[in-house]
Amino acid sequence: MIYLLLSIVSSSIIFLVFKLFDKYQVNTFQAIVVNYLIASVSGILSYDQPINFTAIPSYSWLPGTLFLGVLFIVIFNLMAITTQRSGLSVVSVATKMSVVLPITFGLIYYNESSGTLKIIGILLALIAVYLVSLKKSNDKSTTTQSSLLFPILVFLGSGIIDTTIKFLEDSYVAEQDVPLFSAMIFVTAFILGISVLGYQLLKGKEKLHFKNLLGGIALGVPNYYSIYFLVQALRHPSLESSTVFTLNNVGIVMAATLIGILFFKEKLSTKNWIGIAIAVISIILIAVVKSN
């Protein structure tokens, strides 16, 4: 359970860093690219075994990390496009609701327990995540039928990332290789990201600023550990993946909301408060199932 809590804390720090990006006008894309480098280094430094780089291509999980690294970059750009076209609220909801995919995968593929209380708890958690994620938008962005494609792609991509992580860690990743596995995901994302950034710099479309480097460093460490601790939580024998993903997602939304209230004086709507109340009920229901 401690790994699940640490994953929630790490992901919540990511939210805090992103909010500070807005405040200090940090270039998000540049910081994201640097973040992938820092996350990669964090994973390599956390690996307590001698690293034989020539042997890495022989790891059975390597193709999966390459796939995930590509998805990280693609989904990030899709989220940016969706934010511009439909607003931040749509992106938030699409990303958070994607948890339904790994939950469904765990219930079906791994034949995880699906008692009445657990199903009710999961459904309530999804409702809670939706309600808490709804934010008032000051922009005039609207989501029309023609612009639904991008939120759907964000929803599918985010869900596929979590599902793939679960499948790989269960089927291919040895316990001692978790740091290296996590690092290789970020290495792939960094290579793709630095290629795009390098092209933009050569074309004069971007200019490097020191604050973007600092932002990437601040983001990279918690980003690595959010994946590392999530994988460790998924490996715990007493926790099913459907339980982990549900509690992790609800916990992140709750913690991010609390940070917004305490540090950024955000105001919650009636729907947000209803969502928080439902989230608490869902956590209690899932915890009851877990303890039985």
Side-chain angles (χ1 to χ4, degrees):
M1 201 67 171
I2 184 65
Y3 286 123
L4 181 56
L5 292 173
L6 290 172
S7 177
I8 292 171
V9 170
S10 299
S11 298
S12 300
I13 293 174
I14 292 173
F15 169 82
L16 177 60
V17 172
F18 271 124
K19 293 289 288 186
L20 292 174
F21 281 3
D22 289 336
K23 181 177 181 180
Y24 294 103
Q25 297 183 321
V26 172
N27 182 297
T28 303
F29 181 71
Q30 289 186 21
I32 285 285
V33 173
V34 175
N35 137 82
Y36 288 141
L37 174 62
I38 299 302
S40 304
V41 173
S42 297
I44 292 172
L45 293 177
S46 300
Y47 191 56
D48 58 4
Q49 304 288 326
I51 300 178
N52 182 358
F53 288 99
T54 60
I56 290 179
S58 66
Y59 283 101
S60 57
W61 45 256
L62 183 64
T65 62
L66 300 180
F67 172 70
L68 286 170
V70 172
L71 268 185
F72 272 33
I73 285 290
V74 171
I75 296 305
F76 166 74
N77 284 285
L78 285 175
M79 289 172 67
I81 293 172
T82 306
T83 300
Q84 294 168 358
R85 294 191 174 206
S86 304
L88 186 59
S89 295
V90 175
V91 174
S92 179
V93 171
T95 304
K96 300 298 189 301
M97 293 302 291
S98 68
V99 73
V100 72
L101 297 182
I103 289 173
T104 303
F105 178 76
L107 292 174
I108 296 175
Y109 187 83
Y110 293 106
N111 195 30
E112 295 180 353
S113 61
S114 55
T116 303
L117 284 180
K118 183 174 182 177
I119 294 299
I120 293 175
I122 290 174
L123 292 175
L124 288 177
L126 294 175
I127 294 171
V129 166
Y130 173 76
L131 291 174
V132 176
S133 298
L134 292 177
K135 303 294 181 185
K136 293 181 180 179
S137 178
N138 294 324
D139 59 41
K140 298 182 180 179
S141 302
T142 57
T143 304
T144 62
Q145 187 172 1
S146 61
S147 64
L148 282 175
L149 174 63
F150 292 102
I152 290 173
L153 289 176
V154 170
F155 170 84
L156 292 175
S158 299
I160 290 171
I161 287 174
D162 286 341
T163 303
T164 305
I165 288 174
K166 167 58 186 173
F167 177 74
L168 290 175
E169 69 82 19
D170 182 76
S171 304
Y172 297 103
V173 183
E175 185 171 357
Q176 68 271 16
D177 291 336
V178 171
L180 189 60
F181 164 75
S182 304
M184 288 308 300
I185 297 174
F186 292 115
V187 166
T188 303
F190 172 71
I191 292 173
L192 292 174
I194 198 64
S195 300
V196 174
L197 179 58
Y199 174 79
Q200 292 177 339
L201 291 172
L202 289 175
K203 290 293 184 178
K205 296 180 179 179
E206 292 276 358
K207 290 185 178 180
L208 292 176
H209 295 282
F210 184 67
K211 65 180 179 181
N212 301 330
L213 173 63
L214 293 178
I217 294 173
L219 184 63
V221 175
N223 198 11
Y224 164 74
Y225 281 105
S226 69
I227 297 295
Y228 173 79
F229 289 132
L230 176 61
V231 172
Q232 293 290 16
L234 288 168
R235 300 184 72 89
H236 198 282
S238 67
L239 291 173
E240 295 181 328
S241 66
S242 54
T243 299
V244 170
F245 283 118
T246 302
L247 295 179
N248 187 64
N249 202 270
V250 173
I252 291 170
V253 171
M254 296 280 282
T257 301
L258 184 62
I259 289 173
I261 294 172
L262 294 178
F263 295 97
F264 301 99
K265 309 303 180 184
E266 293 185 354
K267 303 296 183 181
L268 299 185
S269 66
T270 302
K271 290 181 180 179
N272 296 152
W273 283 114
I274 293 174
I276 290 174
I278 294 175
V280 172
I281 296 172
S282 72
I283 291 173
I284 293 173
L285 287 174
I286 295 171
V288 167
V289 173
K290 177 186 168 298
S291 63
N292 290 338

